[in-house]
Amino acid sequence: MSTEPILSIEVKPEVEKELWEHYQEQLKLMVWTSHCSSSFKNGSINAPIDVLHPGSRMHYFALLASVRWEDFNYTYSNNRFSYLGNGL
């Protein structure tokens, strides 16, 4: 964003929905979804958990190292190629 005329980046809605669904399925295998009230569930017993990555910390860091840029919408301030300049 600092070298191109990008005003904003947002996750595509369908990507956010699919990721949330995937996380909910994977979290079923974790202790966090057991029948108990938890701060991760806002004190409720049956609430969905939407703040945890369903894997290890190392797995999460590996995912962050490889961003899927095609899953985002970009808003440009003008022509997206204006950062190329005039070639001089």
Side-chain angles (χ1 to χ4, degrees), residues 38-87:
S38 164
S39 60
F40 291 113
K41 298 179 183 180
N42 292 322
S44 176
I45 292 177
N46 297 318
I49 299 174
D50 60 359
V51 296
L52 290 176
H53 170 72
S56 70
R57 175 185 264 182
M58 296 305 293
H59 184 251
Y60 182 68
F61 289 155
L63 292 176
L64 291 179
S66 177
V67 180
R68 292 178 42 97
W69 297 112
E70 66 272 16
D71 291 339
F72 296 86
N73 289 320
Y74 303 90
T75 303
Y76 294 91
S77 62
N78 52 27
N79 185 306
R80 70 183 71 211
F81 297 106
S82 64
Y83 74 95
L84 294 173
N86 63 9

Side-chain angles (χ1 to χ4, degrees), residues 1 4-11 72-77:
M1 288 180 71
E4 297 185 26
I6 298 173
L7 293 177
S8 66
I9 300 174
E10 66 179 346
V11 177
F72 296 86
N73 289 320
Y74 303 90
T75 303
Y76 294 91
S77 62

